[in-house]
Amino acid sequence: RGSVEQGYILMVPLIAAYLVFVRRSRLRGDRGRWGAFIGPLIVCASFGAAIVGHDRDVLALWHAAPVIAFVGLVVATVGLRRTTLILPGLFILFAVIPLPGVVRHYLAQPLQGFATSVTAFMLELFGVPAIKTGNLIEINGFPVAVGEACNGMRLVMPLAIVMYAFVFSLPLRTGTRMLLLVLCLPVALLCNVIRLVPTALAYGYFPSQAEMVHEIGGWVMIPLAIGILVG
């Protein structure tokens, strides 16, 4: 389950390279290497992070160590000032660090309950008899489970990363950028409910077509969420 939810990590290097590419013109006007001596210090700090993460069994810190080392190498090569010019492209690299299991579990449980409650409410709003029991919704006598895979967690991180690339590739105000990034969570939850309503109806009334509806909904969620945020 974790490997599926963390598939967005494959996008991170491409987005980082893209954000550095769109800022290449800023690097041409700055030839100095001021602050390059800080690079080796950052690399040394990465070794400390790796040791502490390994000894204390803090996997997030251990996974962060290579990213910190890479940032240190960039600073040592181009200098601190030029590094700040491409900082968005470097900062996104920390998204390759898998979300700790404790944090994922802490977020998944309330999101799962929220998705179940809102989906049941929407079904009743449209006149569909739906009985909610825990994370189960009974429709037409069929129990439909809103599992952990359908709580919206899989959509939040990919959407946030795509939106991060969008806001930092355009000359937007800082407030606009922050607003769009903050809205990723509620928009992801909204799109997840939009997906769950027809999926629950399909399982209740057209079980033979339910898997297809579920899969199509999964593919539609990302472009739908991006369209809402861009709009």
Side-chain angles (χ1 to χ4, degrees), residues 118-143:
V118 176
T119 301
F121 172 78
M122 293 299 296
L123 288 169
E124 292 179 352
L125 188 65
F126 289 112
V128 179
I131 302 174
K132 175 183 175 296
T133 305
N135 290 326
L136 289 175
I137 302 175
E138 185 176 324
I139 303 177
N140 195 31
F142 291 91

Side-chain angles (χ1 to χ4, degrees), residues 26-34 78 81-82:
R26 302 184 183 185
L27 299 176
R28 295 170 184 167
D30 192 320
R31 300 296 180 182
R33 294 183 66 247
W34 180 86
V78 304
R81 173 176 169 77
R82 298 179 75 186

Side-chain angles (χ1 to χ4, degrees), residues 10-32:
L10 298 176
M11 300 190 303
V12 173
L14 298 176
I15 291 177
Y18 167 72
L19 291 176
V20 172
F21 176 76
V22 298
R23 282 166 169 73
R24 67 192 185 283
S25 60
R26 302 184 183 185
L27 299 176
R28 295 170 184 167
D30 192 320
R31 300 296 180 182

Side-chain angles (χ1 to χ4, degrees), residues 14-113:
L14 298 176
I15 291 177
Y18 167 72
L19 291 176
V20 172
F21 176 76
V22 298
R23 282 166 169 73
R24 67 192 185 283
S25 60
R26 302 184 183 185
L27 299 176
R28 295 170 184 167
D30 192 320
R31 300 296 180 182
R33 294 183 66 247
W34 180 86
F37 68 92
I38 298 178
L41 299 178
I42 297 176
V43 174
C44 291
S46 72
F47 282 102
I51 293 172
V52 173
H54 182 270
D55 292 344
R56 301 291 180 86
D57 198 25
V58 183
L59 292 180
L61 194 59
W62 187 67
H63 286 131
V67 182
I68 297 173
F70 179 78
V71 173
L73 292 174
V74 173
V75 173
T77 304
V78 304
L80 185 60
R81 173 176 169 77
R82 298 179 75 186
T83 300
T84 59
L85 298 177
I86 57 173
L87 193 58
L90 296 177
F91 184 76
I92 190 62
L93 290 175
F94 286 93
V96 302
I97 303 172
L99 197 65
V102 175
V103 176
R104 187 172 63 245
H105 179 75
Y106 179 79
L107 294 175
Q109 291 301 317
L111 288 178
Q112 193 171 347

